[in-house]
């Protein structure tokens, strides 16, 4: 295995990673001893930024109820919650009349989006989306868009589909900013231009984009943005749906309850309810102030570090990873939009002859590396990338080598970000090279559908 000599080799050349919790955690190896844990599963949930943790720790003694208490700490917590909303608004470059609604996650945000669509809305979604973007539209007329082979084709497919869209009818295109499987960046601004020309709106699934790239609603032109705190270094159960106020204002509340209601009176056999306007309309129940504050803290940290340096560093890590994997003949890196498509730090791959679950298990047990294996909640996309049929069984926990020519049913995904040291990606490349060449040093078995080391 060789890494190209022109690639930066030290943290000094790359710049230091941002401090994250867990960077000094060591994990046991089945082969004996301990190593520092290499967290390469940022796309699932990133580690906590130390600055986010410090902010949360400083606030927690002052924790109180939000929008429902007269006491000092309730007032303080309410102020902090609303200030957090303003921080997110600035972070996203929202238009003056956009709403910022705190949710539980991207999944929650996109389900909220589906719940507030005006009657008769037609939704357009690529079949390659994450399930959180693919599945919430069950009560809506849905057009599934086929998988594109390039960024340019993605725009063409949207244009073709929307050519027949009745501009009098509400329309919504849901598109990801960066794929959680390939890391590839989708041409969001171009898709938005096409959608708007046809009279449709765009909701951006920014779950994998926000931690890696600046997301500016004004610049991209999108109408709504959805993302999660736990993928951007703030894992305290908060997400965001931000965007145009009208559909949010006119819809029934996403959740019914306290906080969303202004006035409730007995009427007839039930109640007459005057619902709140603005974000409170869709934030029923006691808000998650710790989560919102943590998410806002992460926004501040990324902004103050500057995306220019974060992107430059991540791209250097990505080049290093891709070059290292390319030098291993048995490895195939998955790509939908072509090798030239820009990516964030998310790389999925398969290794010839290996069941991906077995490989991921050996990376963890023998090398202390945490990656994800599976279909990454994007089953149609992963099947398409692996060339597998929809009716092929997806079970993947067996440790046996694949038969010659047998296709893996799932993949391994390594993902990284602002807290990743060079050593983690180098260890990954070296470990994959060693496993591909020499095989596993330990014995594995299947337990509850997963491949685990025999102990
Ligand atoms: N969209 C994408 C692209 C994702 O990668 C994910 C999570 O992996 C989601 C949506 C759902 O995010 P969450 O699990 O935070 O709701």
């Amino acid at each position: 295995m060789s890494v190209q000599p022109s690639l930066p080799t030290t943290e000094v050349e790359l710049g230091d990673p941002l401090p994250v919790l867990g960077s000094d955690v060591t994990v046991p190896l089945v082969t004996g001893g301990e190593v520092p844990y290499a967290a390469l599963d940022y796309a699932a949930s990133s580690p906590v930024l130390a600055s986010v943790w410090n902010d949360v720790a400083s606030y927690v003694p002052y924790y109180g109820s939000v929008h429902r208490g007269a006491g000092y700490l309730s007032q303080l917590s309410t102020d902090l919650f609303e200030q957090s909303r303003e921080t997110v608004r600035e972070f996203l470059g929202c238009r003056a009349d956009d709403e910022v609604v705190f949710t539980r996650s991207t999944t929650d945000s996109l389900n909220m989006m589906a719940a507030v669509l005006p009657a008769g809305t037609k939704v357009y979604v690529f079949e390659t989306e994450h399930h959180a973007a693919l599945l919430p539209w069950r009560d809506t007329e849905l057009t599934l868009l086929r998988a594109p082979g390039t960024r340019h084709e993605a725009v063409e497919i949207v244009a073709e589909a929307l050519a027949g869209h009745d501009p009098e009818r509400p329309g919504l295109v849901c598109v990801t900013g960066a794929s959680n499987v390939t890391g590839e960046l989708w041409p969001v601004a171009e898709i938005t231009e096409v959608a708007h020309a046809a009279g449709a709106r765009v909701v951006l699934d920014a779950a994998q984009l926000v931690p890696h790239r600046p997301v500016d609603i004004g610049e991209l032109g999108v109408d709504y943005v959805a993302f999660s705190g736990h993928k951007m270094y703030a894992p305290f159960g908060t997400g965001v749906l931000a965007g145009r106020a009208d559909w949010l204002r006119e819809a029934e509340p996403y959740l019914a309850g306290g906080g969303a209601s202004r006035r409730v009176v007995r009427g007839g056999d039930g109640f007459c309810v005057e619902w709140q306007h603005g974000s409170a309309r869709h934030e029923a129940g006691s808000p998650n102030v710790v989560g919102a504050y943590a998410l806002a803290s992460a926004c501040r940290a990324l902004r103050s570090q500057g995306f220019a340096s974060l992107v430059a560093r991540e791209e250097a890590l990505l080049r290093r990873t891709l070059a290292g994997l390319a030098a291993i003949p048995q490895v195939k890196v998955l790509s939908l939009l072509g090798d030239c498509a820009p990516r964030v730090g998310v790389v999925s791959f398969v290794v010839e002859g290996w069941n991906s679950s077995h490989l991921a298990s050996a990376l963890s047990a023998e090398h202390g590396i945490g990656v994800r294996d599976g279909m990454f909640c994007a089953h149609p996309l992963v099947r398409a990338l692996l060339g597998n049929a929809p009716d092929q069984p997806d079970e993947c926990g067996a440790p046996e080598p694949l038969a010659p020519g047998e296709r893996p049913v799932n993949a391994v995904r390594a993902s990284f970000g602002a807290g990743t040291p060079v050593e983690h990606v180098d260890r990954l490349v070296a470990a994959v090279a060693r496993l591909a060449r020499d095989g596993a040093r330990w014995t594995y078995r299947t337990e509850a559908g997963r491949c685990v080391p025999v102990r």
Side-chain angles (χ1 to χ4, degrees):
M1 185 269 308
S2 70
V3 172
Q4 288 176 8
S6 62
L7 295 170
T9 51
T10 64
E11 302 290 357
V12 177
E13 287 167 75
L14 273 176
D16 286 334
L18 293 187
V20 290
L21 302 190
S23 52
D24 51 359
V25 166
T26 58
V27 291
L29 301 181
V30 280
T31 43
E34 297 213 332
V35 290
Y37 184 62
L40 290 178
D41 199 9
Y42 276 52
S45 286
S46 61
V48 192
L49 271 182
S51 61
V52 168
W53 181 249
N54 292 341
D55 276 352
V56 167
S58 314
Y59 160 60
V60 163
Y62 301 93
Y63 171 74
S65 65
V66 170
H67 289 311
R68 35 185 52 73
Y72 189 86
L73 297 194
S74 292
Q75 299 294 313
L76 186 146
S77 293
T78 301
D79 284 351
L80 223 59
F81 185 68
E82 291 306 329
Q83 278 165 24
S84 300
R85 200 188 304 283
E86 290 315 304
T87 301
V88 173
R89 186 187 297 286
E90 272 172 39
F91 181 75
L92 293 175
C94 287
R95 296 158 289 239
D97 52 356
D98 281 342
E99 291 290 358
V100 174
V101 184
F102 284 118
T103 65
R104 290 179 299 167
S105 61
T106 311
T107 303
D108 200 29
S109 300
L110 292 172
N111 276 274
M112 181 182 293
M113 187 78 243
V116 304
L117 296 177
T121 302
K122 226 177 144 179
V123 175
Y124 302 83
V125 186
F126 282 96
E127 65 189 19
T128 47
E129 294 289 348
H130 186 283
H131 297 170
L134 199 58
L135 303 181
W137 325 105
R138 282 166 300 171
D139 299 331
T140 315
E141 191 179 326
L142 179 65
T143 300
L144 275 182
L145 307 174
R146 71 177 188 278
T150 62
R151 283 162 55 91
H152 180 68
E153 198 191 351
V155 183
E156 282 180 349
I157 290 170
V158 175
E160 271 164 34
L162 288 173
H165 182 76
D166 172 3
E168 296 301 311
R169 194 174 169 183
L172 183 75
V173 177
C174 176
V175 67
T176 190
S179 165
N180 70 308
V181 176
T182 64
E184 291 165 327
L185 292 164
W186 282 63
V188 175
E190 294 85 337
I191 286 175
T192 304
E193 223 179 294
V194 166
H196 285 176
R201 295 187 178 187
V202 173
V203 57
L204 174 64
D205 172 356
Q208 300 294 347
L209 191 60
V210 158
H212 302 280
R213 294 285 189 284
V215 173
D216 188 294
I217 286 196
E219 255 172 45
L220 291 172
V222 294
D223 301 278
Y224 305 92
V225 171
F227 65 97
S228 306
H230 73 102
K231 294 185 194 293
M232 63 174 298
Y233 315 104
F236 295 93
T238 292
V240 167
L241 177 66
R244 301 205 182 271
D246 52 355
W247 288 2
L248 287 158
R249 187 174 53 228
E250 285 147 27
E252 285 289 298
Y254 178 53
L255 292 174
S261 46
R262 262 216 301 235
R263 188 159 186 272
V264 181
V265 291
R266 282 299 312 269
D269 290 339
F271 301 99
C272 295
V273 185
E274 218 178 283
W275 297 109
Q276 292 280 16
H277 300 299
S279 49
R281 187 179 185 85
H282 299 291
E283 289 177 350
S286 295
N288 176 359
V289 55
V290 175
Y293 185 54
L295 191 145
S297 167
C299 293
R300 283 194 300 274
L302 294 180
R303 269 283 145 83
S304 88
Q305 177 66 23
F307 272 101
S309 74
L310 289 170
V311 171
R313 186 172 190 285
E314 185 178 306
E315 286 189 335
L317 289 176
L318 186 61
R319 282 195 300 277
R320 197 176 180 86
T321 308
L322 291 172
L325 292 176
I328 307 169
Q330 298 90 334
V331 169
K332 180 178 176 236
V333 171
L334 304 185
S335 157
L336 180 69
L337 301 177
D339 289 343
C340 300
R343 290 172 181 248
V344 298
V346 177
V347 178
S348 294
F349 58 94
V350 289
V351 177
E352 201 184 311
W354 280 77
N355 172 331
S356 297
S357 178
H358 185 196
L359 188 79
S361 193
L363 286 171
S364 169
E366 300 178 26
H367 299 274
I369 299 170
V371 292
R372 183 170 170 191
D373 62 287
M375 299 175 83
F376 319 124
C377 298
H379 294 184
L381 171 58
V382 173
R383 268 192 215 103
L385 291 171
L386 297 177
N388 292 333
D391 56 358
Q392 183 166 331
D394 297 331
E395 284 81 33
C396 55
E400 290 81 29
L402 299 181
E406 189 184 353
R407 287 197 177 123
V409 294
N410 58 11
V412 172
R413 180 182 73 187
S415 52
F416 43 85
T420 305
V422 181
E423 190 275 326
H424 287 187
V425 300
D426 283 356
R427 198 187 326 163
L428 172 79
V429 169
V432 172
R434 182 171 179 172
L435 288 164
R437 192 188 57 222
D438 302 336
R441 279 179 290 161
W442 202 256
T443 308
Y444 295 79
R445 67 186 170 87
T446 307
E447 188 179 288
R450 289 206 57 78
C451 188
V452 295
V454 173
R455 292 180 197 267

